[in-house]
Each structure stands twice: as structure tokens, then as C-alpha cells.
Amino acid sequence: MSLLDLSGIEKSFGSVSVLHGVDLTVGAGEVIGLVGDNGAGKSTLMKIVTGMYQADRGSITLEGDNILELTPGERRARGIEMIYQDLALAKQQDVASNIFLGREPTRRVLGMSLVDRRKMKLDAQKMIDRLGAKLPAITRPVGSFSGGQQQSVAIARALTFNPKIVIMDEPTAALAVREVQSVLDLIRQLKSQGIGVILISHRLNDVLSVTDRIIVLRQGRAAANLLTKETTMPDIVSAIVGGGDVMVAAAHEAQG
Amino acid sequence: MATPQIQSVPSLWARLQEKSIEQLHIRLESIVVLVGLAAIMAILSPFFLSVSNFMNILLATSTIGVLAIAATFVLSSGGLDLSIGSVLGLSGVVGAAFAVNLGMPTPIAVLATIGAGALAGLVNGWVITRGFVPAFIVTLGMLGIARGLALVISDGRVIYGLPDWMLFLGQGRPFGIPMPVIILIIVAIIMHIVLAYTRYGRHTLAIGDNENAARTAGINVEFHRLTLYTLSGGLAGLAGLLFATRINSGDPTAGITYELTAITAAIIGGTNLFGGRGSILGTMIGAMIMGVLQNGLNLLAVQSYYQQMAIGCVLVLAVFIDQFQQRQETKV
Ligand SMILES: Nc1ncnc2c1ncn2[C@@H]1O[C@H](COP(=O)(O)OP(=O)(O)OP(=O)(O)O)[C@@H](O)[C@H]1O
Ligand SMILES: [Mg+2]
């Protein structure tokens, strides 16, 4: 039984049909690369997994249980975490508030259940240190951080609550070379802990170096399902662009 | 090329500000404004500095203070409730009608007063979150509806003669402190704790900050908003109770333009007009500033028409300063 199982997912926004029947499975400890052109529907598909969007048709199961009816909060509680492309951070709040948003630890004071700020700060600092992220101060509003620092906060938020599956939508887009490597190391570490990972990235070299399987979305369908170790850059590129100027595009990617 | 490094040491003011915001959730400027304003009033009027005048200010601030708490919750969630002044009037009339016309016992009349406000707030929240009508329009509509309903229920007349137990809430003075002041202080402390230290409060700020982030974190944004507007209405109902019991009557015209003063108090207290930031202690300072301003203008025998103008100016000025600071901070 796979960890996450999507089948026949269809989604349209008004008259614009984005996904028509996508199948995808992720096993425990498996790293899946999800690639495709801009607008291919990668983010849409993943938001359907987290419950931010409702699928028009299709089924989603987590460890065999149907989760289609669950709210985003309930799916998160079941262990589905996502790092969103737009990061989805509350910019005026500090690091701890963002990492623990929706799951603040509480303690009882005079019969009232109050947020345990101290525990939040300590745990947030621990998580940031574990990621090796460099933040100016965790008490600052995250809006004052650089793009890469904000990305670290978003990653920390996804990893703090022992997820079963982590979806990363362009997690390295704003990161410097060294930070990109640490995210890739992190993905390998998650894999070794038996956590399923879906990595969405336009950096095909990263995808090739860290994934077990690569799914290519094209025209609303999973156009290819490739085993990474049997796959080369030109295979992926041709699956993404679907014929045409494959040679030119592949040559360009090979240089990068 | 070696350029001289400009070491930016945060000034004493900046460090104090940071501590103040972190520990007390108060912006220092608002305290400076309050003290400065009080000093000016004390110089201009010999009556300003006295214990009895201080109590007057607190008493006059109590109604606005409760409304400003409502405004703080709604604004910091990125919402807006323009109906609180009208709902105050409606609640007072409903409470008086229950107590006087229907002869209900005090506890029921009190519950009816607050309940009427909460119900109006629930309707606001329901239309906003289920009907997707902007809060500005819904609560502007409620501003008219609640006021009209207050006039209909009271037949356009003031309902006099509340029972003694109800009057105690507005006119009682245990230990020489007016009851409305005691109630405001208790409510303010509770609501400060709720906004700053509970999950409900943290989620309120997060929704105002980035609705999408709150949603991805699993917060039920629509339901949370519904509860916020209901809370706002309930607090307006409480303000209506304090007002009606203080003047011993349900007045259908009570609270006209109070939303202006309450929102102004919340904003000078540091609430972000666009959500994400707000503190009840800050708002209480803001409410005191409004109270001192009105009291001072009264002592100086300034006509109340000018007072309206003054409050309007303070609101625009406060938002101007806030926006100016934000532009300075994000200037490239
Ligand atoms: N909320 C929405 N309303 C309407 N259309 C949408 C919405 N979200 C996405 N779309 C459309 O769905 C299509 C797929 O978008 P999506 O964001 O999933 O692409 P993507 O594969 O993540 O692209 P990118 O690589 O640029 O991130 C696009 O054509 C987009 O315009
Ligand atoms: Mg995307």
C-alpha cells in the first residue's frame, strides 16, 4: 500500500480545465519529482492534496484512508505538510508564530488555556538551528527577512510536526547555492526517516540528483512517469515540452 | 574597495519601543501623545487635574473603550465593523424595552441587551462569510438597519425608568469607582489576554496578516470571522448596556458616530487598519487619548460640533502617521 494515492484527479477553474485525470502515488521514504511547464497544474494538483482546492473528480487516499472529505486542518493533522510556492507566511508575525500557526502549544494558567510563547520560541529556535538557517532574530516579523530566510521559515513550519508526507513547491527558488544543498540534504534525510516527499522544481539537476521517480505533467495529464536512475536530462525535457525544440532545450539544460 | 562601515546601533528609543511592543503590546508614541495631551489640558484648564475629573474621563471613556475593543478585534483580523455605534443604540433600546415595557427581571434584560448586539453581529458575520459581501457594505447596511430598528422598537421615544439593579451597572460606585469603569477594566484585561495570549487571538492576527497563510495552516477562516463579528456585536451590546444604565434610559439615538471614535481609538492605539497587528492595552491608551481630548474640549467649553471635527481629524492624522512610518521603513 502506498502512502499517498491520487487517481483520476480532474480540476477546472470556471471554463479553464487544468487537470484532466491525473494519477500519482508516493510511497513511504520515496522522493517524487513533479515537473512540468509553467501553468502545467503542479501547484493546483498539490493544493488539491492539501485540501486548499477541491477536486472536481477523482480520489485521494492517505495510507488507504479516503481523505477527500477532510478539511485542510484535518489533513495537516494526518501528516500532510506543504511548503507553498508563495510561502504563505504571516509577514507581521514572528518566526515562532509562523512555525506554530494553527498548532500553538498551550499551557493552563488559572483555568485559561494560554499560548506557551516560551516553548514556541525554544522549539522554533531548535528547528531553525537544525535546518542550519541563518536568521537575524527569531523575534522579528518574518516580513523583514530576505526571500531565502523566509523560505527557511516556511520549511521549518512544514517539518516541525512529524509529517508523513512533505510537499515542496519550489523550495529552493530563492536560495543561495549552499542553502540549496542543505535543502537537498534535508530531503535525503526525510527519505531516510521514511517520510514521503514530493518536490516541485524547475531546477532539473536538483530533481535528478535527489528523487527516486519523476512525474511530468503536460496538458493536464501525467505525461510521463520516469525512474530517475534510468532517466537522463533529455528524457525529462522532451517529456516536458512534448516534442518540438527538444534538442535545443536539452542542450541548454545540460549546460546549466 | 573599502567603504566605511556604518554601524547602526539601535537608539534607546528603538530598544524601549521593541521591549514595549513585545512585552506590553503598546507603541510608545501613544503613551507620549497621551501624557502630552494631558499636560496641555492641565495647563489650559485648572479643573483638569483632579480626582473627580479623572473619574469623569474614565466614566466617559468606558462606553467608547468597550466599543474600541470590538473595533480592535475586527480591524486586526483585516475586517471592519461600522455598525457598532448603531448596534449600541439598538441594544440599549432592546434592554430598556425588556426591563420597562415587558417588566422582565434584570438578568434577563441584561442578557437581552448583550444578546441583541451579538445577534446583530452574527447577522453581519453570516452575510460577510456566507454571502461574500464586503464587510464595509454589510456593516454599513447594518448601521442603517440597527438604527432604524431601535427607532421602530422604541417608537422613536426614549424609554425611561430602568429597575434599580440595572441602574447599579451604570451608576453604582463600589469603593468610589463607577461601575462602568470597573466593567471596562475587567473586560479589557480579559480581552487583552484573549488577543495576545490565546490561540483564538493569535489566529485573529494571523488571518488579518495573511488570510491564505492562516488557511493553509488549517484555520477555519470563515468560521473565525463569523465569531469575530458576533463578538464585536456582543461587545457593542455591552457598551449599549453601560450607556443605557448610566443615563437611566434606552435612547434610540444613543451611540451615533461612536464607531468613528472607537475606530480612531483602536488605530491610535497601534491597531493596523489593514489587519495583522493590534493590542487591547494599546487601544485602551487610544481610548484614553480620545477621552482626555473630549474632556479637555468640554472643560474649555468648545462646542460639541467642533469636537466631532477634532475626532475626525485625529483619525485621519493617526492613519497618515502610521502610513508615513511604514513608507519610511520600506523605502528603497
Ligand atoms: N485560483 C485559480 N483560479 C483560476 N485559475 C487558476 C487558479 N489557480 C491556478 N489557475 C490556473 O491553472 C493553471 C495551472 O496553474 P498552476 O499554478 O497549478 O501551475 P504550475 O504548474 O504550478 O506553474 P508554475 O510552474 O508556474 O508554478 C494555470 O493556467 C493557472 O492560470
Ligand atoms: Mg506552481
Side-chain angles (χ1 to χ4, degrees):
Chain A
M1 183 184 64
S2 50
L3 184 58
L4 180 73
D5 211 321
L6 308 185
S7 74
I9 300 293
E10 294 180 24
K11 176 72 182 173
S12 45
F13 295 103
S15 61
V16 184
S17 169
V18 177
L19 302 171
H20 1 249
V22 178
D23 302 333
L24 188 155
T25 61
V26 186
E30 191 179 21
V31 181
I32 304 284
L34 184 61
V35 298
D37 243 336
N38 291 127
K42 306 179 294 291
S43 300
T44 303
L45 183 65
M46 291 302 110
K47 285 179 181 173
I48 286 171
V49 174
T50 61
M52 291 300 290
Y53 291 163
Q54 287 295 317
D56 300 333
R57 207 160 294 126
S59 75
I60 310 175
T61 59
L62 182 72
E63 295 178 314
D65 297 337
N66 174 25
I67 58 166
L68 217 46
E69 307 303 318
L70 302 185
T71 64
E74 289 164 340
R75 294 188 200 192
R76 237 188 133 202
R78 292 278 189 105
I80 299 178
E81 288 283 356
M82 174 156 169
I83 299 158
Y84 291 84
Q85 193 167 15
D86 58 8
L87 301 181
L89 296 173
K91 302 275 168 97
Q92 295 173 69
Q93 320 300 321
D94 63 13
V95 174
S97 299
N98 270 286
I99 290 180
F100 286 92
L101 185 56
R103 298 174 163 185
E104 298 82 355
T106 57
R107 66 199 164 99
R108 295 204 77 79
V109 179
L110 303 171
M112 289 176 297
S113 150
L114 303 185
V115 169
D116 194 343
R117 294 280 309 161
R118 206 227 280 261
K119 180 173 161 46
M120 272 170 63
K121 270 191 208 165
L122 283 174
D123 289 359
Q125 186 67 60
K126 255 187 246 161
M127 199 63 209
I128 294 296
D129 291 344
R130 214 185 101 192
L131 292 178
K134 302 226 170 0
L135 302 183
I138 68 161
T139 51
R140 292 265 190 82
V142 300
S144 67
F145 292 173
S146 78
Q149 290 165 338
Q150 293 188 20
Q151 209 141 30
S152 303
V153 176
I155 293 173
R157 180 171 78 173
L159 300 186
T160 304
F161 290 94
N162 302 319
K164 292 199 181 98
I165 181 155
V166 178
I167 300 164
M168 302 184 174
D169 197 348
E170 297 287 353
T172 55
L175 299 185
V177 182
R178 200 159 43 86
E179 278 71 21
V180 170
Q181 286 311 315
S182 72
V183 169
L184 297 182
D185 286 344
L186 188 77
I187 292 174
R188 295 187 186 102
Q189 195 187 324
L190 294 176
K191 175 183 169 64
S192 72
Q193 293 167 8
I195 295 168
V197 178
I198 300 176
L199 172 66
I200 300 177
S201 179
H202 292 296
R203 299 167 52 112
L204 298 180
N205 280 319
D206 295 351
V207 175
L208 274 170
S209 78
V210 81
T211 59
D212 301 309
R213 241 174 347 115
I214 298 172
I215 314 278
V216 181
L217 274 194
R218 181 157 46 88
Q219 292 171 353
R221 290 208 171 72
N225 186 342
L226 311 161
L227 272 179
T228 305
K229 59 173 184 280
E230 299 168 359
T231 303
T232 59
M233 183 71 82
D235 300 337
I236 310 178
V237 175
S238 74
I240 292 174
V241 296
D245 297 326
V246 178
M247 294 316 287
V248 180
H252 177 79
E253 280 295 335
Q255 287 168 7
Chain B
M1 194 181 74
T3 47
Q5 284 284 316
I6 302 164
Q7 270 291 332
S8 64
V9 177
S11 63
L12 177 64
W13 174 265
R15 272 177 291 152
L16 278 176
Q17 177 79 282
E18 195 167 325
K19 277 272 172 294
S20 165
I21 289 177
E22 198 189 326
Q23 300 296 329
L24 299 171
H25 309 268
I26 293 178
R27 287 184 75 86
L28 286 179
E29 294 94 335
S30 57
I31 297 178
V32 172
V33 170
L34 177 59
V35 172
L37 194 62
I40 293 170
M41 292 305 177
I43 293 167
L44 291 180
S45 166
F47 305 107
F48 184 79
L49 280 184
S50 68
V51 174
S52 69
N53 190 48
F54 184 63
M55 282 300 167
N56 274 340
I57 294 175
L58 286 180
L59 187 57
T61 305
S62 56
T63 309
I64 287 298
V66 171
L67 280 189
I69 292 173
T72 306
F73 268 82
V74 174
L75 286 175
S76 60
S77 76
L80 178 66
D81 190 348
L82 293 173
S83 70
I84 44 181
S86 293
V87 170
L88 178 157
L90 172 64
S91 307
V93 166
V94 168
F98 264 71
V100 180
N101 300 358
L102 302 177
M104 293 283 179
T106 294
I108 292 183
V110 167
L111 279 182
T113 316
I114 297 172
L119 195 62
L122 180 68
V123 171
N124 279 337
W126 201 78
V127 178
I128 291 165
T129 58
R130 300 291 143 83
F132 301 99
V133 184
F136 173 77
I137 295 300
V138 174
T139 60
L140 186 61
M142 182 56 80
L143 178 147
I145 295 166
R147 182 65 64 196
L149 193 56
L151 289 163
V152 168
I153 293 173
S154 63
D155 205 10
R157 287 191 286 264
V158 176
I159 304 172
Y160 288 107
L162 300 178
D164 285 350
W165 273 109
M166 256 178 113
L167 286 186
F168 178 73
L169 293 173
Q171 299 176 356
R173 282 184 175 251
F175 314 109
I177 305 169
M179 269 307 278
V181 176
I182 296 176
I183 292 173
L184 171 66
I185 291 172
I186 293 172
V187 171
I189 291 173
I190 292 174
M191 296 320 270
H192 179 74
I193 292 173
V194 170
L195 187 57
Y197 300 109
T198 67
R199 301 185 69 199
Y200 184 84
R202 307 309 305 171
H203 293 179
T204 301
L205 295 172
I207 289 170
D209 196 330
N210 183 347
E211 183 178 329
N212 217 19
R215 204 166 269 137
T216 61
I219 296 168
N220 188 339
V221 174
E222 272 64 42
F223 181 73
H224 197 101
R225 286 236 160 92
L226 183 72
T227 65
L228 279 170
Y229 285 97
T230 309
L231 173 71
S232 176
L235 286 169
L238 176 64
L241 180 72
L242 297 183
F243 193 94
T245 53
R246 183 151 60 90
I247 63 170
N248 189 13
S249 57
D251 179 352
T253 63
I256 288 180
T257 74
Y258 274 27
E259 63 281 338
L260 170 67
T261 317
I263 290 172
T264 305
I267 287 175
I268 31 183
T271 305
N272 185 348
L273 179 59
F274 306 107
R277 175 162 48 82
S279 131
I280 301 302
L281 286 186
T283 292
M284 287 302 103
I285 306 254
M288 285 295 292
I289 291 175
M290 302 313 286
V292 168
L293 187 67
Q294 281 181 319
N295 176 268
L297 294 177
N298 279 338
L299 289 181
L300 299 173
V302 176
Q303 252 192 355
S304 66
Y305 307 141
Y306 292 105
Q307 296 189 16
Q308 283 289 328
M309 291 170 63
I311 296 170
C313 289
V314 171
L315 173 62
V316 176
L317 188 68
V319 174
F320 169 77
I321 292 172
D322 192 43
Q323 291 294 310
F324 182 77
Q325 283 179 339
Q326 282 186 21
R327 265 186 299 132
Q328 289 292 311
E329 280 163 21
T330 57
K331 203 156 75 176
V332 283

